[in-house]
Amino acid sequence: MKKFVLLFTCMFVMVSVFAQTNFQELTLEKALEKAKGENKKVFVDCYTSWCGPCKMMAAKILPLEEVGKYMNENFVCVKFDMEKGEGRAIQQKYRVSSYPTFLILNTDGSLMQAVVGATTSGEEFLARVKEAFDENSAGNLAIEYEKGNRNMDFLIKYIKALVTACNIEKAQKVAQDVLASLDDEEKCSERYWFIYQDPDLTPVGSGNMTYLLKHVDQFRKGVGVVKVDSVLAAAFEIQLEDILRGRNRTATLAEVEAAEKMLDSYHLTGQDYLYDYIALIKAMKAENTDETLAMCKKIYPKLSDGKIAYLYFTPLLSLKDKWTKEQKKELLALTKQLVEQVQMSQLKVSLGQFADGAIARW
């Protein structure tokens, strides 16, 4: 009886192990070779040791029986830490910048699809993986593209599929080829607006953004004021938030004032919050703690949790040696107000620690 129970237990453990996604200890080259011999694709889990969502996927989604069954039947699965060993080369080759990222590769190493970000269920994860095999997937459309199909409807569909597959470099190249074939009236029309409204295809500082800024009135006529102003506002927002969060530490007061004049010239509708950002940055640059405090109290209670998480701390820290005793009390009150306001548990903790630790020590 004991032997039977032991055998049953061993069988149960073996079934559980084989039911989950089988990640093999192979180099990428060996994985590609094995996938070719087995008529499969290669699935690469790109993770880092510090990535919480990566750990969640590894613990809760990839071990699911329905996920493992599909993955093992269709892929040779491997995983690499993007900050160690071969992972570094993979990260650079496929331009992995967000985690987790899951690469679906052809056996020649070319990218079929990238699934970026975690999912909350196995069903959602498999749906995103299966997109790579859809007839309108970037991988399948690439075959037609390589054969020379340059029909405009096809190219538009292909660009959108490439963006969905997170193959942004290829999407940008095809989009530029399309735009190069158009005159100004066509470029400023609704048909091609998707290129200019996508921040991956038209990032801040790119030639496409420069073109948009020079032809704002034409775009407004061809696409509509609301749509164009929304994209312009987003472009200004990115630049201003980069300063507020400390990603751009070299911006000068003169550059901020120049951005304000440019913003004035576009007469954007319903984007007054951008002027609040500018006022806060100017106050920070001038080390005007009264004005900085006033703008903090005006801006931050209106922001989402995500915005507060990366925009709140740097402005306060940048002037930590300048705040008066009374101002510190007001900052402490503001921070505690935000603790009560936000919903993200980790943000509540971070704000609480900031109030009780950093501000209290200033």
Side-chain angles (χ1 to χ4, degrees):
M1 183 64 181
K2 289 183 178 179
K3 290 183 178 180
F4 176 78
V5 172
L6 180 60
L7 176 62
F8 179 80
T9 302
C10 290
M11 289 177 64
F12 177 78
V13 171
M14 289 177 67
V15 169
S16 298
V17 169
F18 286 110
Q20 64 185 344
T21 304
N22 177 29
F23 285 98
Q24 303 181 43
E25 294 290 337
L26 299 170
T27 64
L28 182 56
E29 182 180 1
K30 291 297 183 182
L32 294 169
E33 289 177 4
K34 186 172 184 179
K36 186 174 184 179
E38 296 178 2
N39 194 29
K40 295 180 179 180
K41 305 297 183 183
V42 172
F43 176 85
V44 185
D45 179 355
C46 303
Y47 69 95
T48 67
S49 60
W50 47 262
C51 169
C54 300
K55 295 176 182 177
M56 185 278 291
M57 291 295 293
K60 296 184 177 181
I61 303 299
L62 293 168
L64 292 173
E65 182 177 354
E66 66 270 26
V67 172
K69 184 175 185 298
Y70 180 83
M71 299 301 292
N72 297 336
E73 288 177 354
N74 293 278
F75 300 98
V76 171
C77 300
V78 289
K79 61 195 314 182
F80 297 94
D81 186 328
M82 294 292 99
E83 296 179 338
K84 296 180 181 179
E86 188 178 0
R88 294 174 178 173
I90 293 172
Q91 183 273 326
Q92 292 179 2
K93 179 177 181 179
Y94 296 101
R95 298 180 182 273
V96 178
S97 58
S98 299
Y99 303 102
T101 288
F102 305 99
L103 304 176
I104 298 173
L105 306 179
N106 293 303
T107 54
D108 62 358
S110 60
L111 178 66
M112 281 185 66
Q113 189 100 338
V115 177
V116 179
T119 62
T120 57
S121 68
E123 182 180 4
E124 181 188 357
F125 175 73
L126 288 180
R128 294 182 65 188
V129 170
K130 290 175 181 179
E131 287 176 358
F133 300 96
D134 186 271
E135 64 179 10
N136 289 320
S137 69
N140 287 327
L141 294 179
I143 297 173
E144 196 171 342
Y145 180 79
E146 295 302 325
K147 289 180 179 178
N149 188 343
R150 295 298 184 270
N151 174 272
M152 192 57 73
D153 287 338
F154 167 77
L155 291 175
I156 290 173
K157 181 167 66 173
Y158 185 37
I159 294 168
K160 292 179 179 179
L162 287 166
V163 172
T164 298
C166 296
N167 192 342
I168 302 304
E169 185 176 10
K170 182 69 172 180
Q172 289 175 339
K173 181 182 182 304
V174 178
Q176 289 309 115
D177 290 343
V178 166
L179 293 178
S181 69
L182 307 176
D183 59 30
D184 285 343
E185 184 176 354
E186 290 173 313
K187 289 179 182 177
C188 299
S189 68
E190 181 74 39
R191 179 173 170 80
Y192 303 99
W193 174 243
F194 77 95
I195 295 175
Y196 293 96
Q197 72 175 359
D198 190 315
D200 287 323
L201 299 179
T202 302
V204 172
S206 67
N208 285 351
M209 181 57 70
T210 299
Y211 182 88
L212 171 58
L213 294 173
K214 287 183 177 179
H215 297 81
V216 170
D217 290 337
Q218 283 179 268
F219 275 105
R220 282 172 170 163
K221 290 177 182 178
V223 179
V225 173
V226 174
K227 289 182 179 179
V228 174
D229 284 7
S230 177
V231 170
L232 292 177
F236 278 101
E237 181 179 294
I238 289 171
Q239 295 181 80
L240 296 174
E241 289 186 351
D242 276 352
I243 298 173
L244 287 174
R245 67 193 297 188
R247 293 182 65 178
N248 179 359
R249 299 181 182 276
T250 62
T252 64
L253 181 59
E255 289 172 336
V256 175
E257 291 173 340
E260 184 177 19
K261 289 181 180 179
M262 182 179 291
L263 181 60
D264 288 339
S265 71
Y266 291 121
H267 306 290
L268 301 183
T269 55
Q271 312 296 345
D272 291 343
Y273 74 97
L274 295 173
Y275 287 100
D276 289 340
Y277 277 178
I278 288 173
L280 174 55
I281 294 170
K282 289 169 68 175
M284 289 165 55
K285 295 290 182 182
E287 297 186 348
N288 184 331
T289 52
D290 284 332
E291 182 64 17
T292 299
L293 177 59
M295 294 312 302
C296 286
K297 292 165 71 174
K298 179 180 180 181
I299 292 171
Y300 291 112
K302 299 178 183 178
L303 296 184
S304 66
D305 286 12
K307 295 280 190 181
I308 292 172
Y310 65 81
L311 294 180
Y312 185 63
F313 301 100
T314 299
L316 274 61
L317 288 167
S318 69
L319 298 175
K320 66 178 183 179
D321 297 326
K322 307 293 182 180
W323 302 111
T324 66
K325 186 175 181 180
E326 187 59 37
Q327 288 170 340
K328 291 175 187 177
K329 290 181 181 179
E330 293 189 57
L331 288 174
L332 187 61
L334 173 60
T335 305
K336 291 186 175 181
Q337 175 188 337
L338 295 178
V339 170
E340 296 300 317
Q341 171 185 318
V342 301
Q343 300 299 312
M344 293 169 55
S345 57
Q346 184 55 52
L347 181 57
K348 281 182 177 291
V349 172
S350 297
L351 287 167
Q353 291 175 340
F354 187 67
D356 297 333
I359 296 177
R361 291 194 302 269
W362 291 349

